[in-house]
Amino acid sequence: MRQMKTAPLRGSRIVGLGHSQPDRVLTNDELSTMVETDDAWITTRTGIKTRRIAGPDDTVTSMATAAARNALADAGVDPASVDLVVVASTTHEDRAPYTAGRVAVQLGMTSGPAPIDINTACSGFEYAMAVADQAIRTGAADTAVVVGADKLSGITDWTDRSTCVLVGDGAGAAVLQATDEPEIGPVSWGSVPHLQDAVRVTGTPARFQQEGRSIYRWAITEAEGHARKVVEAAGLTLDDIAVFAFHQANLRIIEPLVTALGGEDKYVVRDVVESGNTSAASVPLGLSKAWQRGELPEGVPALLFGFGGGFAHAGQVVTTPTRRR
């Protein structure tokens, strides 16, 4: 009996980052004219000052496509060479055609890459990265585009102060390529069964709801341990990590988590302040914006960690890209 053929194991690395956000900026002062709130109330409880809101022509697909295009340009990679596209989103427009397939077509990926849509809400990008990394490791793909994109404004009750002050729209993307030396560590992922309904998008029309206190309690008491497991899975210690990129849910969650992990001297993504909570987009969006500004260190270990709807969590350590020179 013949032995089944398997590809030799290898690794993957990030070679480019990109993002896209709508033009419209919604400030806390503007929100105060829509619901009973003010800038001080929002800032104190969330750290958010502004967020981007989609216009009539902004869709999950258009934002994901723009972010992917920018990431490919950053990497200097021809779209025709991409053989896997993974898009994470809570707000995919349709069940079929899927967003990943639409992105591939709009970017002219004539090779017909494998398209995969993922929905694990706020941890979606980390799940998508794991899928792409594993595909490359096993030889199923050589070049992948991974996107997190969400249009939360379309599922938000703009009369509900507890949720509308949080949300924003946008997309972030990364280009992954095969490499002999892995630069993306093993994923550490899981779920919290008793919090399954703590973050939900249900109803007709669909509306975003959450149990803020339950989420905050879990983030303050449990997230640290899961983040440490991510680092351990990579065979590293927290002293080795140079960048923290956590789900941009709330600055009141990010800051205590940074402190608990001893990260005061590390580069910390705090894009929630100007972009709000963009669900699956939040980690790649924050990373790409820092990369574009020249703030994100090159070629260093970064801890990615997402958590939220489902209630799912996931993370991996990645090496930040290096600039083409």
Side-chain angles (χ1 to χ4, degrees):
M1 183 176 179
R2 290 187 179 182
Q3 186 175 7
M4 187 179 296
K5 180 182 178 181
T6 58
L9 290 179
R10 52 186 179 172
S12 72
R13 64 188 178 111
I14 298 174
V15 295
L17 293 169
H19 67 275
S20 175
Q21 289 181 283
D23 292 333
R24 185 190 172 199
V25 178
L26 180 62
T27 67
N28 289 347
D29 288 336
E30 288 179 83
L31 270 173
S32 70
T33 68
M34 301 164 58
V35 291
E36 186 178 349
T37 190
D38 56 45
D39 176 65
W41 191 92
I42 299 171
T43 303
T44 301
R45 288 163 176 77
T46 70
I48 300 170
K49 302 296 287 187
T50 62
R51 69 286 291 148
R52 298 292 185 99
I53 301 299
D57 297 327
D58 297 314
T59 66
V60 171
T61 299
S62 69
M63 292 187 292
T65 301
R69 181 181 291 111
N70 292 335
L72 287 164
D74 182 56
V77 170
D78 184 350
S81 69
V82 174
D83 38 29
L84 173 64
V85 179
V86 189
V87 177
S89 180
T90 313
T91 50
H92 294 290
E93 282 116 17
D94 299 303
R95 295 183 181 181
Y98 21 79
T99 307
R102 284 175 164 158
V103 169
V105 169
Q106 292 188 15
L107 289 176
M109 295 180 178
T110 54
S111 61
I116 302 174
D117 279 2
I118 285 178
N119 178 9
T120 53
C122 307
S123 57
F125 181 74
E126 291 71 40
Y127 275 84
M129 284 284 285
V131 169
D133 173 57
Q134 293 298 320
I136 291 174
R137 281 176 182 261
T138 58
D142 293 317
T143 302
V145 173
V146 182
V147 186
D150 263 308
K151 183 181 174 181
L152 294 185
S153 65
I155 57 170
T156 296
D157 178 354
W158 288 96
T159 66
D160 177 9
R161 182 178 68 166
S162 68
T163 55
C164 75
V165 301
L166 300 172
V167 303
D169 302 326
V175 178
L176 274 59
Q177 286 190 324
T179 179
D180 292 335
E181 296 296 327
E183 295 186 13
I184 296 179
V187 66
S188 178
W189 54 15
S191 61
V192 186
H194 74 273
L195 290 178
Q196 182 181 49
D197 294 323
V199 183
R200 55 197 182 276
V201 179
T202 57
T204 305
R207 287 291 177 261
F208 159 53
Q209 297 174 296
Q210 68 173 12
E211 298 171 10
R213 290 183 179 178
S214 297
I215 298 164
Y216 181 78
R217 188 180 306 113
W218 181 89
I220 296 301
T221 61
E222 303 293 334
E224 175 196 350
H226 291 291
R228 289 182 181 274
K229 288 179 181 178
V230 175
V231 178
E232 291 169 5
L236 301 175
T237 70
L238 283 165
D239 289 338
D240 299 313
I241 305 299
V243 176
F244 282 170
F246 305 142
H247 169 47
Q248 303 292 293
N250 187 319
L251 200 61
R252 288 182 62 212
I253 291 175
I254 295 170
E255 298 293 13
L257 184 53
V258 169
T259 300
L261 294 171
E264 291 84 353
D265 61 341
K266 304 183 187 300
Y267 183 86
V268 179
V269 174
R270 295 182 174 89
D271 187 51
V272 66
V273 175
E274 61 180 40
S275 296
N277 181 343
T278 54
S279 192
S282 75
V283 168
L285 175 61
L287 283 171
S288 177
K289 290 173 69 175
W291 180 244
Q292 187 182 71
R293 291 192 301 264
E295 296 176 0
L296 189 69
E298 298 183 45
V300 299
L303 170 58
L304 314 188
F305 184 60
F307 55 90
F311 189 90
H313 56 82
Q316 56 269 108
V317 175
V318 307
T319 300
T320 58
T322 54
R323 298 190 184 278
R324 292 185 296 132
R325 292 177 173 86

